[in-house]
């Protein structure tokens, strides 16, 4: 794709809802299960708590949707929690948010794909032992899909997302119908005690639609799980059990499991959308390598996409695709930036005090407080699973600052300034390392002679005294006008005597403001694989000499024709 086609890669609301909300919507496939996994430790009688917990989750969702809508309008060009925290709190808070989100997007891919693999193995139990391999395969496929570009991935994503939503509404509707018509035995559940432009506008509407869908689907699944008396099992997901109880093992069950697997696997696309963009912002601010700002052939940020895929596979292998082990880290990675961004927005409204600022401040302050409470709950109740965050964040902030310091130092040294005067070069001394009397060496010497060099010195490192004498004699007959320096190496080292000689020449040349150039002869085989048949000593010499401060390294290629 041409650079001019970048504008065509933006999304309208229908595709945006699919590509950006698949992660959130897919959480209803494993969210209720995570609630039941915790409650089962207190016995099945505690399952009734799932209903008030669901209400609490919906309240949390409502607050977060309301508070995040304000970020969309305040920062229409994107940047999210990183930019909000950096601008309104401090650079370090911004880096904490950015670092947390980078890890969270990796976890998004790992969690989504692992949960998708669970959905597949629940429907096809014989595949359970291959759960990790299935997850890794899908990460590779999604990575390739995203390298093709955002519009192509959105076109593919839209169908599974809407099919999944339809399948869940069908499941919830059928399940509630069976409950209302008395088809569900009363003893199944425990008794309940008595208690495109304009971008900001489109983004806001998409967010609200996603929130409404998520709330309806989540509450419906939790209700059915409670009413049907579903308990979590090792090899079968809660959603699969609900589907089997409601539909039986028929086409509707497999339709549910198929769409669930698809949306969970493709929900990883949220990470592929957000990770590269966050990486671009951090790279532009010089906190991570600049390679993350480079667009690929299909206008996607290919380096970010590839690294995200690789790190996600590492996580899946380390945690063996166990979703419940990844969820706590995933949640902390979400709520730390939530807390910081909402706190930043609260300070922004307090400082700027625009029209209606009190209402905005209350919404964002509520979001900040609730996010902070949730974060603390995770640290207190799941410390053994999330303690690594307390180690990782200081380390990554330190690395961010070291990278930033490096880029600042490089910029300072490369910046042209009248205060720094370059020393004028009075002449040039050319050193040509030679291995024998060949056309490659002849080609290099002819090129060296064509330049206005004060002196050309051929240098040969020999390991044998007799061979050395013979070569010196042949050289005098072949190139009598070019000085040959023969260096004997007792320990068969090529680099050590050559670099030492270059150092001596450079030291003497600097006294007269002469520039030393090492001109390396190198033949280029006709076919690339032929290179492995040769020792590539020219590459070794160049690698060592490049770090010589006042020496210019140049290569003179000689192309073979057969």
């Amino acid at each position: 794709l041409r650079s001019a086609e970048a504008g065509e890669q933006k999304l309208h609301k229908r595709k945006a809802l699919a590509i950006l909300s698949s992660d959130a919507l897919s959480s209803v496939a494993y969210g209720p299960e995570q609630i039941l996994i915790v409650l089962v430790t207190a016995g099945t009688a505690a399952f009734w708590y799932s209903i008030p917990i669901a209400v609490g989750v919906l309240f949390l969702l409502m607050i977060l949707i309301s508070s995040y809508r304000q970020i969309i309008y305040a920062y229409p060009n994107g940047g999210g929690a990183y930019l909000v925290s950096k601008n309104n709190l401090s650079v370090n808070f911004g880096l904490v948010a950015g670092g947390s989100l980078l890890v969270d997007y990796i976890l998004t891919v790992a969690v989504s794909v692992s949960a998708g693999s669970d959905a597949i193995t629940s429907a096809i139990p014989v595949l359970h032992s291959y759960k990790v391999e299935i997850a890794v395969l899908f990460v590779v496929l999604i990575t390739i899909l995203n390298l093709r570009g955002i519009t192509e991935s959105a076109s593919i994503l839209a169908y599974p997302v809407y099919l999944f939503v339809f399948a869940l509404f069908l499941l919830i509707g059928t399940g509630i119908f069976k409950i209302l018509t008395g088809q569900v035995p009363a003893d199944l559940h425990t008794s309940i005690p008595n208690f495109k432009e304009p971008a900001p506008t489109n983004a806001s509407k998409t967010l609200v639609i996603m929130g409404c869908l998520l709330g309806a689907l989540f509450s419906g699944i939790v209700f059915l799980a409670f009413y049907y008396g579903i308990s979590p099992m090792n090899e079968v997901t809660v959603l699969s059990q609900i589907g089997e109880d409601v539909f039986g093992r028929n086409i509707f069950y497999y339709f549910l499991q198929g769409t669930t697997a698809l949306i969970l696997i493709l929900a990883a696309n949220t990470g592929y959308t957000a990770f590269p963009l966050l990486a671009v912002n951090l790279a532009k601010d010089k906190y991570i390598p600049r390679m993350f700002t480079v667009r690929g052939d299909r206008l996607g940020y290919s380096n970010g996409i590839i690294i995200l895929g690789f790190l996600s596979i590492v996580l899946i292998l380390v945690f063996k695709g166990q979703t419940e082990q990844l969820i706590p880290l995933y949640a902390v990675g979400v709520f730390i930036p939530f807390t910081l961004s909402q706190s930043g927005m609260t300070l922004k409204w307090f400082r700027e005090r625009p029209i209606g600022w009190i209402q905005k401040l209350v919404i964002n302050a509520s979001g900040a407080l609730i996010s902070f409470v949730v974060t603390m709950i995770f640290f207190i109740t799941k410390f053994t699973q999330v303690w690594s965050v307390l180690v990782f964040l200081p380390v990554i902030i330190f690395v961010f600052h070291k990278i930033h310091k490096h880029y600042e130092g490089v910029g300072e040294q490369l910046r042209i300034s009248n205060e720094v005067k370059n020393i004028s070069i009075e002449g040039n001394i050319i050193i040509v390392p030679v291995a024998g009397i060949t056309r490659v060496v002849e080609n290099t010497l002819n090129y060296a002679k064509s330049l206005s060099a004060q002196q050309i010195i051929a240098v040969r490192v020999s390991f044998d005294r007799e061979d050395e004498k013979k070569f010196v004699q042949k050289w005098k007959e072949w190139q009598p006008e070019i000085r040959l320096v023969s260096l004997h190496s007792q320990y068969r080292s090529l680099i050590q005597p050559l670099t030492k000689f270059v150092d001596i020449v450079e030291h003497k040349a600097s006294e007269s403001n002469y520039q030393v150039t090492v001109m390396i002869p190198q033949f280029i085989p006709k076919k690339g694989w032929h290179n492995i048949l040769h020792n590539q000593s020219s590459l070794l010499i160049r690698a060592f000499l490049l770090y010589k401060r006042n020496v210019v390294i140049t290569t003179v290629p000689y192309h073979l024709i057969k």
Side-chain angles (χ1 to χ4, degrees):
L1 295 176
R2 296 186 299 274
S3 298
E5 295 179 81
E8 299 172 18
Q9 300 300 299
K10 295 185 178 180
L11 306 172
H12 52 69
K13 289 196 293 291
R14 181 178 60 82
K15 284 189 176 181
L17 180 63
I19 198 169
L20 300 177
S21 70
S22 56
D23 173 37
L25 293 177
S26 68
S27 65
V28 302
Y30 55 82
E33 183 162 9
Q34 299 307 310
I35 293 174
L36 296 180
I37 286 173
V38 174
L39 292 178
V40 78
T41 58
T44 54
F47 280 7
W48 73 268
Y49 281 110
S50 62
I51 302 298
I53 287 173
V55 174
V57 171
L58 293 178
F59 176 72
L60 171 64
L61 178 65
M62 180 185 71
I63 292 294
L64 291 178
I65 294 289
S66 300
S67 55
Y68 227 84
R69 283 182 76 239
Q70 301 192 152
I71 293 180
I72 289 174
Y73 286 109
Y75 293 89
N77 294 322
Y82 165 65
L83 194 61
V84 174
S85 303
K86 186 184 75 167
N87 288 356
N88 297 291
L89 297 176
S90 71
V91 170
N92 283 330
F93 279 120
L95 294 178
V96 169
S100 298
L101 283 171
L102 285 179
V103 177
D104 185 61
Y105 294 139
I106 299 169
L107 284 160
T108 295
V109 177
V111 167
S112 299
V113 174
S114 296
S117 182
D118 286 339
I120 292 173
T121 56
S122 294
I124 312 174
V126 294
L127 296 177
H128 184 74
S129 58
Y130 301 101
K131 183 174 73 172
V132 173
E133 290 83 354
I134 292 170
V136 170
L137 174 63
F138 279 116
V139 171
V140 173
L141 292 176
I142 297 169
T143 302
I144 294 171
L145 174 65
N146 277 273
L147 289 172
R148 291 292 304 165
I150 186 171
T151 52
E152 290 197 18
S153 60
S155 299
I156 296 173
L157 265 174
Y159 299 105
V161 170
Y162 292 118
L163 285 174
F164 172 74
V165 170
F166 171 74
L168 280 194
F169 275 126
L170 181 64
L171 173 70
I172 294 167
T174 306
I176 292 174
F177 174 77
K178 285 190 172 184
I179 292 170
L180 295 176
T181 55
Q183 298 180 50
V184 181
D187 59 352
L188 275 181
H189 59 87
T190 53
S191 59
I192 304 175
N194 295 322
F195 63 75
K196 286 185 178 179
E197 298 296 340
T201 303
N202 289 336
S204 175
K205 289 178 180 177
T206 301
L207 186 67
V208 171
I209 294 170
M210 180 201 73
C212 294
L213 282 174
L214 179 55
L217 297 176
F218 175 79
S219 54
I221 294 300
V222 170
F223 176 74
L224 291 183
F226 164 74
Y227 214 91
Y228 277 77
I230 301 297
S231 297
M233 298 172 61
N234 285 333
E235 297 186 4
V236 183
T237 65
V238 164
L239 192 61
S240 174
Q241 294 181 66
I242 296 173
E244 192 167 0
D245 284 354
V246 172
F247 296 132
R249 284 257 174 178
N250 56 24
I251 187 172
F252 294 109
Y253 167 80
Y254 287 105
F255 175 68
L256 171 68
Q257 287 302 103
T259 56
T260 300
L262 274 175
I263 192 175
L264 282 166
I265 292 165
L266 296 178
N269 215 76
T270 303
Y272 281 95
T273 303
F275 181 96
L277 294 178
L278 175 58
V280 167
N281 282 315
L282 284 165
K284 285 181 178 178
D285 289 341
K286 304 176 184 177
Y287 288 110
I288 62 174
R290 286 179 177 166
M291 68 175 186
F292 287 101
T293 63
V294 178
R295 288 184 181 269
D297 292 343
R298 299 288 301 178
L299 293 176
Y301 294 104
S302 304
N303 292 326
I305 292 170
I306 292 169
I307 288 175
L308 173 62
F310 171 75
L311 294 177
S312 302
I313 289 173
V314 170
L315 271 182
I316 290 171
L317 294 175
V318 169
F319 288 93
K320 298 179 180 179
Q322 296 177 344
T323 310
E324 64 275 9
Q325 297 295 321
L326 293 164
I327 289 288
L329 280 172
Y330 174 59
V332 169
V334 169
F335 279 99
I336 288 176
F338 272 176
T339 304
L340 293 174
S341 62
Q342 300 309 318
S343 300
M345 290 299 293
T346 303
L347 282 178
K348 176 183 173 67
W349 302 134
F350 185 76
R351 288 169 183 163
E352 298 178 4
R353 304 190 182 186
I355 298 172
W357 69 275
I358 294 179
Q359 179 185 351
K360 295 177 179 179
L361 184 145
V362 169
I363 292 174
N364 284 125
S366 301
L369 178 62
I370 291 175
S371 296
F372 177 75
V373 170
V374 172
T375 304
M376 289 299 99
I377 289 172
F378 267 101
F379 273 116
I380 293 169
T381 61
K382 300 282 186 180
F383 185 77
T384 56
Q385 293 175 273
V386 301
W387 64 267
S388 57
V389 173
L390 299 177
V391 176
F392 167 78
L393 285 179
V395 170
I396 197 171
I397 291 170
F398 174 77
V399 172
F400 283 161
H401 281 295
K402 292 293 287 184
I403 292 173
H404 189 267
K405 183 179 179 181
H406 166 76
Y407 280 129
E408 289 294 310
V410 170
E412 183 181 345
Q413 294 174 78
L414 296 182
R415 198 172 294 115
I416 296 175
S417 172
N418 294 327
E419 298 175 2
V420 180
K421 300 294 183 183
N422 290 322
I423 300 172
S424 59
I425 298 174
E426 302 295 335
N428 199 1
I429 297 175
I430 296 177
I431 298 174
V432 181
V434 298
I437 297 174
T438 63
R439 289 185 179 181
V440 185
V441 173
E442 183 180 45
N443 179 60
T444 304
L445 293 176
N446 288 339
Y447 177 68
K449 291 174 187 178
S450 70
L451 304 176
S452 56
Q454 270 60 38
Q455 190 176 5
I456 301 174
I457 305 173
V459 182
R460 183 175 186 265
V461 178
S462 65
F463 307 146
D464 181 84
R465 292 290 186 185
E466 289 299 318
D467 176 68
E468 182 180 354
K469 291 177 182 177
K470 292 178 183 178
F471 185 84
V472 170
Q473 184 60 39
K474 288 181 179 178
W475 186 272
K476 287 180 180 178
E477 296 172 1
W478 184 53
Q479 295 284 353
E481 74 279 13
I482 294 180
R483 177 188 170 192
L484 172 69
V485 175
S486 184
L487 306 174
H488 181 72
S489 177
Q490 299 182 66
Y491 300 102
R492 299 160 306 284
S493 169
L494 177 67
I495 299 299
Q496 195 272 338
L498 180 59
T499 54
K500 187 176 179 180
F501 176 76
V502 171
D503 285 340
I504 294 171
V505 175
E506 188 277 322
H507 179 71
K508 292 183 178 179
S510 62
E511 296 174 357
S512 305
N513 293 337
Y514 277 30
Q515 176 67 58
V516 174
T517 300
V518 178
M519 195 172 286
I520 303 173
Q522 181 176 353
F523 67 84
I524 311 298
K526 183 180 180 180
K527 297 181 179 179
W529 69 268
H530 290 171
N531 283 299
I532 63 175
L533 304 177
H534 305 280
N535 57 21
Q536 303 300 322
S537 56
S538 60
L539 298 177
L540 190 63
I541 294 170
R542 184 163 63 246
F544 274 86
L545 293 180
L546 276 173
Y547 289 93
K548 296 295 180 184
R549 187 178 295 272
N550 297 315
V551 177
V552 174
I553 315 298
T554 184
T555 300
V556 181
Y558 182 84
H559 292 270
L560 303 181
I561 59 174
K562 61 181 180 179

